[in-house]
Amino acid sequence: SSPAWTSSSSLSAANPTRRAVMRVIAIFLAFAATAQAFAPAPRFARATTAMTAAPEGSRRAFFGKASAAAVVGVVGTSFVQPSFADDEVAEVAAPAPAPAPAAPPAKANYGTFPVPAADEWGISGKDYYADAAKVTKHMQYATQMDKGTANMDTINKNMKKEMVDFVSFYRRFSNVAGKQSFSTLYTAINVLAGHYTSYGTKFPVPEKRRKRLYQEYSEIEKNIKKGR
């Protein structure tokens, strides 16, 4: 017997319903091929469909089944997920441990200075070097005080008054104002007085300013010893 389709002319002579079904099949097959190209390793079972000469009703049933199979293939391909073995466990990297907090910088030790007695404040006005040495010692103690030091406010207020009295008295003398010790002490007094003006007498001197002041104090003591 001869096959159902003998030439392209016989296919074009088929009814419009069959041509429409063919177009639907072609569209779904193209969509399935595109989805399969991007799907992660889909698995399909091969199936073959034998096309033999059959009556018109059998051909319509074939096209209907082929369309349904194409739809199922497209939908199934879109939702294919990679498979894992039962005993396979996904490895998750453990979070990195948080860095330890930085330790606070150690406070510099500039020495041990005696607490000024209540009756020690003030200059004599008779001996420049003795008064300069006293003011420097008092400034060293006031500079190293931390927050919570006993009588901090009172000591700083006395310190401020003593510095003002020292500068006001000795800068009038040209033989004193020209000394290297006086010039360096005058600079240090301005730094400490500036701290009192900015922060008041209840707050400690910041470390950066404290370091600078102790460098000045060291130079002042050297110049006093040398009579400069």
Side-chain angles (χ1 to χ4, degrees), residues 145 152-154 156-157 160 195-196 199-204:
M145 287 193 302
M152 183 177 186
D153 184 39
T154 301
N156 282 332
K157 286 178 179 178
K160 184 176 180 180
H195 168 73
Y196 294 148
Y199 299 98
T201 55
K202 296 181 180 180
F203 295 90

Side-chain angles (χ1 to χ4, degrees), residues 48-162:
T48 58
T49 305
M51 296 178 61
T52 60
E56 183 69 14
S58 297
R59 290 197 296 271
R60 290 181 180 179
F62 165 76
F63 287 125
K65 292 179 180 180
S67 301
V71 173
V72 172
V74 171
V75 175
T77 302
S78 302
F79 292 92
V80 170
Q81 299 293 334
S83 59
F84 297 95
D86 293 339
D87 58 349
E88 184 178 354
V89 178
E91 295 183 1
V92 180
K107 179 185 173 183
N109 184 9
Y110 298 102
T112 303
F113 309 102
V115 182
D119 57 351
E120 288 183 10
W121 296 103
I123 60 173
S124 65
K126 299 177 181 179
D127 187 340
Y128 162 75
Y129 289 111
D131 286 341
K134 176 190 285 189
V135 172
T136 302
K137 288 295 183 184
H138 291 174
M139 291 177 68
Q140 288 174 330
Y141 181 82
T143 302
Q144 62 88 37
M145 287 193 302
D146 285 323
K147 193 172 183 179
T149 301
N151 302 319
M152 183 177 186
D153 184 39
T154 301
I155 291 173
N156 282 332
K157 286 178 179 178
N158 290 334
M159 185 76 260
K160 184 176 180 180
K161 183 179 183 305
E162 186 176 82

Side-chain angles (χ1 to χ4, degrees), residues 122-135 165-166 168-173 175-176 179:
I123 60 173
S124 65
K126 299 177 181 179
D127 187 340
Y128 162 75
Y129 289 111
D131 286 341
K134 176 190 285 189
V135 172
D165 292 342
F166 177 84
S168 299
F169 182 81
Y170 283 107
R171 69 179 174 182
R172 298 177 299 170
F173 304 99
N175 62 329
V176 173
K179 292 182 181 294

Side-chain angles (χ1 to χ4, degrees), residues 16-73:
T17 301
R18 188 166 61 250
R19 290 199 300 273
V21 172
M22 290 292 291
R23 285 195 294 272
V24 170
I25 293 173
I27 292 171
F28 277 110
L29 290 177
F31 185 83
T34 303
Q36 182 179 4
F38 293 96
R43 299 174 181 175
F44 297 103
R46 294 185 177 180
T48 58
T49 305
M51 296 178 61
T52 60
E56 183 69 14
S58 297
R59 290 197 296 271
R60 290 181 180 179
F62 165 76
F63 287 125
K65 292 179 180 180
S67 301
V71 173
V72 172

